[in-house]
Amino acid sequence: MLVVIWECAGGKEIDLHAAHLRMLESKINNNVRFFFSFVPVLENVMVWRDFQHSYSYVFGDCARDLPDRVKSLTLQFAPDQIYPSFENPTEMQMFRNLRNLSLKLVTSLAIVEIFELSRLLGDFPLLQSLSFVVIKLPVTREIRRRRSPSPTRHTELKQVTYGGFNGLDTEMEFVLYILRCAVALEQMFLSPGYKNDFSLEQESALNLSFNEEKRNLIQQQLHGQAISGITTVIIQ
């Protein structure tokens, strides 16, 4: 059973009682509080937020109320541009049973500014599939760098997809951290292309690819870095 909630103008609370609900999709732009009173088989949740300052809602109120049995989570949001979070919210620990995590971000922030690398994997010990789509905003700003953490082994992660990847130093730092942590990683797919579902006014870039020189440079930087002996890195 699938429930899609598109609009809740003026509403403040939604209480779900659905014995057979397995998938929930929410595209509500006001801060509605969800109560999951009776959803015993809910496993797949998708939350879409298309405006600034949605980060605190997605990882705050929404995360706090989701049942811990959820195994697949898709989040599309814009990380706060003025006051970004440099620590993963404690509510992310509610998702320790996640197997699949998909994040679609519209931001001018570097990926290492949005998530603390050591906790991103640590908060999801059962995660098997991680997907990122990062849509860059054309804003020039100084990147607030932090010291790279020491790799911590993750035993379950098998597949990583990174769309909107351009081979920048901060992006390479993120990718290298995963390669050095994921002992069971089978495939990592890196692509500058992405699909933008936020606005019809913003162009989507689906079929972008690196030129041969850039692709070879990225391959050289990543060669031999994977802790897993079976990892294949695909660069589009």
Side-chain angles (χ1 to χ4, degrees), residues 17 74 82 86 117 148 176 182 209 220:
H17 294 256
T74 298
I82 301 176
F86 289 89
L117 293 176
S148 297
L176 284 167
S209 60
Q220 291 174 10

Side-chain angles (χ1 to χ4, degrees), residues 31-197:
N31 291 344
V32 173
R33 177 77 181 267
F34 280 91
F35 293 91
F36 298 89
S37 298
F38 186 65
V39 283
V41 296
L42 179 64
E43 293 185 344
N44 192 335
V45 174
M46 293 174 282
V47 179
W48 311 85
R49 301 279 286 192
D50 62 357
F51 60 89
Q52 197 174 14
H53 308 305
S54 56
Y55 187 93
S56 56
Y57 173 80
V58 168
F59 285 116
D61 293 339
C62 182
R64 189 180 301 113
D65 297 333
L66 281 174
D68 60 7
R69 70 183 65 86
V70 171
K71 296 180 180 179
S72 180
L73 180 64
T74 298
L75 301 174
Q76 178 166 305
F77 65 101
D80 298 348
Q81 301 299 319
I82 301 176
Y83 303 106
S85 174
F86 289 89
E87 302 291 338
N88 296 359
T90 57
E91 286 80 7
M92 289 179 73
Q93 297 178 20
M94 297 291 290
F95 304 135
R96 297 187 67 83
N97 291 323
L98 276 185
R99 270 60 165 186
N100 303 292
L101 176 63
S102 178
L103 299 174
K104 299 182 180 182
L105 318 175
V106 176
T107 182
S108 64
L109 302 174
I111 192 71
V112 294
E113 291 184 287
I114 301 172
F115 297 105
E116 183 184 353
L117 293 176
S118 60
R119 285 192 56 195
L120 179 60
L121 296 183
D123 284 346
F124 308 116
L126 302 181
L127 194 66
Q128 298 178 2
S129 176
L130 175 63
S131 175
F132 279 93
V133 173
V134 182
I135 301 171
K136 306 291 195 312
L137 293 176
V139 177
T140 301
R141 53 183 299 277
E142 181 181 355
I143 295 175
R144 297 174 63 180
R145 299 299 300 272
R146 306 179 70 182
R147 187 175 64 179
S148 297
S150 300
T152 302
R153 291 198 173 193
H154 192 286
T155 60
E156 302 297 323
L157 188 63
K158 294 179 172 60
Q159 181 172 338
V160 175
T161 300
Y162 191 158
F165 173 83
N166 294 304
L168 301 177
D169 288 346
T170 52
E171 297 172 339
M172 293 296 292
E173 178 184 346
F174 183 80
V175 168
L176 284 167
Y177 183 83
I178 293 177
L179 288 175
R180 293 166 180 168
C181 289
V183 298
L185 187 65
E186 298 174 0
Q187 179 175 291
M188 175 178 283
F189 180 77
L190 306 175
S191 172
Y194 58 80
K195 182 179 180 182
N196 184 2
D197 296 320

